[in-house]
Amino acid sequence: MAGYRRQLYRDDAVVLRVQKLGESDRIITLLTRRHGRLRAVARGVRRTMSKFGARLEPFGHIDLQLAGDPKGNHGSSLHTVSQVEGINLYGKRFLGDYPRYTAASAIAETAERLTPIEREPSLRLFQLTVGALKALSRGEHDTTLVLDAYLLRGMALAGWAPALTACAVCGTPGRHRAFSVPAGGAVCPDCRPPGAAHPAPATIDLMSALTTGDWVVADATDTGVRRECSGLVAAHLQWHLERALRSLPLVDRSTTPVAGTVPPPGGGGAGMLRPRGDAGSGAAMLRPGGDAGSGAAMLRPGGDAGSGADGTSKERAE
């Protein structure tokens, strides 16, 4: 449009991922408070003398000024970052903590998948994402509990919450032992389809506690119950998304210590939730300092071209 001047506007946002663009620029995927998910170009942020490059790292909660049409009616779909101020840069707190970093990566990927349409406001999802990253940074609860609570509440916002207190098919109230992902949650004996899972009653109680925010019940559960809950939550989410989340198989499912406690010995369960195949080409996804490798397209929703950098690496395809 001849003579069109790009509009300046401000918003606060969470940085979901970054991609290389050219020699010194980046494309930043943001989940904003008032304008939903959008992408913006940050010019020169990969230069060593960049004024605000460090504030545009993944998982940061920032206040920024953008140039472009917030409604997308004019000009390019890519906005331009003109000013950034950090509110809470959570990413720097996760760099030396693999369980928390991978959980934050799964949260960021889920937030992007739950906002398929750009510039569609999603205030509650934005608040939920900020709250989850804040909870991870504080370390008051086990990392897997925070992640599963985020996934369950995110599915509730999208209308995909699993039925836990009544049969998902006929609506019969009560605690039902069978759980079917295709049916939508817990099912009674009359409606139970072939292949339904039979989780422990404590697992269903944990899912309910995470959905409602009952952390007293959630923190008291043991590792086996948490692992079973994580498997059901991941399967339910990916069924409705109709695609796998590539960051979930890399999440460390070992018990992580809360703030002020001694870390327990033992290994992790990074490969526990692998619904389709193995990590395979996504192995470089969380490789600190590495390139995108063969997993370059794994977090490219809607065919985002850019430079093909992946979306959840530690330096976001640096």
Side-chain angles (χ1 to χ4, degrees), residues 39-288:
R39 295 182 303 150
V41 176
R43 305 288 183 187
V45 294
R46 290 161 55 201
R47 297 181 183 140
T48 56
M49 300 299 291
S50 172
K51 295 180 179 179
F52 49 77
R55 302 170 201 164
L56 290 173
E57 291 299 316
F59 319 133
H61 181 200
I62 58 176
D63 178 83
L64 74 168
Q65 179 174 274
L66 297 167
D69 184 2
K71 296 182 179 180
N73 296 328
H74 303 286
S76 171
S77 61
L78 286 175
H79 299 222
T80 301
V81 178
S82 59
Q83 186 180 11
V84 181
E85 295 179 7
I87 298 176
N88 280 301
L89 303 180
Y90 299 115
K92 63 183 181 181
R93 307 178 194 178
F94 306 150
L95 295 182
D97 190 325
Y98 180 80
R100 289 200 293 174
Y101 184 84
T102 52
S105 299
I107 288 172
E109 184 184 0
T110 303
E112 189 169 357
R113 294 288 180 260
L114 294 178
T115 51
I117 302 175
E118 289 191 1
R119 302 186 187 86
E120 185 175 273
S122 185
L123 175 60
R124 295 181 66 186
L125 181 62
F126 169 81
Q127 293 173 331
L128 180 65
T129 304
V130 173
L133 294 174
K134 183 183 296 185
L136 279 180
S137 68
R138 290 178 176 175
E140 296 174 352
H141 305 288
D142 185 80
T143 298
T144 59
L145 294 180
V146 175
L147 174 58
D148 290 336
Y150 176 83
L151 298 181
L152 284 166
R153 298 179 196 184
M155 286 190 285
L157 294 179
W160 305 333
L164 300 174
T165 59
C167 176
V169 178
C170 66
T172 302
R175 293 179 55 179
H176 303 295
R177 291 295 307 273
F179 189 97
S180 173
V181 170
V187 289
C188 66
D190 295 334
C191 301
R192 182 182 61 198
H198 291 78
T203 301
I204 302 297
D205 293 341
L206 175 58
M207 295 175 70
S208 299
L210 293 176
T211 302
T212 58
D214 189 349
W215 289 104
V216 175
V217 172
D219 290 335
T221 55
D222 58 33
T223 304
V225 171
R226 296 178 186 182
R227 286 178 178 271
E228 189 173 40
C229 173
S230 297
L232 293 177
V233 171
H236 193 85
L237 173 63
Q238 293 173 119
W239 171 271
H240 287 283
L241 288 176
E242 298 182 347
R243 64 186 301 177
L245 290 179
R246 300 305 298 271
S247 54
L248 275 182
L250 302 176
V251 174
D252 189 347
R253 295 288 179 176
S254 60
T255 302
T256 53
V258 297
T261 62
V262 178
M272 179 188 127
L273 296 176
R274 188 172 297 156
R276 301 182 187 91
D278 53 26
S281 61
M285 175 173 142
L286 297 173
R287 186 184 304 152

